[in-house]
Amino acid sequence: EWEGKSSSTGSAWCRMRHRTGGLLIQIERPSAELFKQELAEVMALADLRTERSEEILTQIDHQWALWGSLLPLRPDLRPRTLEVLQAVVWLSVAVEMRFKQVLGVSRPQEFSPQVQPIITTPGHGSFPMGHATQAFAIARTLQGLMQLDDRDPLALQFDAQAHRIAVNRIVAGVHFPADLVA
C-alpha cells in the first residue's frame, strides 16, 4: 500500500506499507535549500565528464557491461541469472518511480542552466536516484545469489560498482548527491 503527501509549503513524503500495515519505507523530500547547496558539488563533479563520458553513455539504459566486467553474465552462459536481474531492475523501477512522482524533485539543470548535462535529462523527478536504486539492488541480488558475505572482496566490488554507476549520474549532471543517498 502506498501513501503520499505533497504540500504547497514544499514538504512532501511518500511511504510504502506491507499488506499487514507495517511500514516498509518512508522517504521525505529534502528542502530546496539543500539542493541549491548541492549544486556546487554537481558543478565540481562536471570536471570528470571527459574521462567518464563513455562509461556514462553505456549506463543510460542498461548497466550490464559494468556488471559483466565482474562476472560472466553473457546470455548464452547465464540466461536465468540475467532474467532474475532484469526482474530486479523492473521491480526497482516500479518502486522508485512511485516515490519520484509523489516527491517531485527538480533536476539540477532546473536549478541552474550552467549544469549543462551531458546526457538527455529524464522527464521525471530526480529524487530518489533510479540508477542507484537499480544498481544497488543488482549488487545485493548478485551477492545473495552467490551467497557472499558482506566482507567478501567480490561483494565489496559489487558495492563499488553500484556506487560508481550512481556517482556517474551526478557527474553527468542529471542528479544531486542527495538523490544517491535516498
Side-chain angles (χ1 to χ4, degrees), residues 21 37 41 51 60 67 73 85 89 98 108 133 145 161-162 173:
Q37 292 170 4
E41 190 171 348
E51 75 180 59
I60 290 175
W67 297 110
L73 290 175
L85 295 177
V89 169
R98 179 67 174 138
T133 304
L145 289 172
Q161 198 81 295

Side-chain angles (χ1 to χ4, degrees), residues 86-182:
Q86 188 60 59
V88 167
V89 169
W90 289 333
L91 176 61
S92 297
V93 169
V95 172
E96 74 203 28
M97 290 305 291
R98 179 67 174 138
F99 283 99
K100 286 175 179 282
Q101 291 166 352
V102 172
L103 299 174
V105 173
S106 298
R107 299 278 178 167
Q109 76 176 24
E110 295 174 59
F111 282 85
S112 171
Q114 293 175 316
V115 173
Q116 297 181 335
I118 62 168
I119 58 176
T120 303
T121 302
H124 49 264
S126 86
F127 183 87
M129 184 188 295
H131 277 69
T133 304
Q134 296 161 34
F136 282 100
I138 288 171
R140 288 290 172 263
T141 301
L142 288 170
Q143 181 180 345
L145 289 172
M146 297 180 73
Q147 300 177 352
L148 302 175
D149 180 84
D150 286 344
R151 295 173 307 244
D152 184 281
L154 188 54
L156 294 172
Q157 193 59 37
F158 290 157
D159 281 345
Q161 198 81 295
H163 189 261
R164 175 84 173 207
I165 290 167
V167 170
N168 278 345
R169 299 296 285 178
I170 301 167
V171 171
V174 296
H175 276 287
F176 292 99
D179 302 340
L180 186 163
V181 174

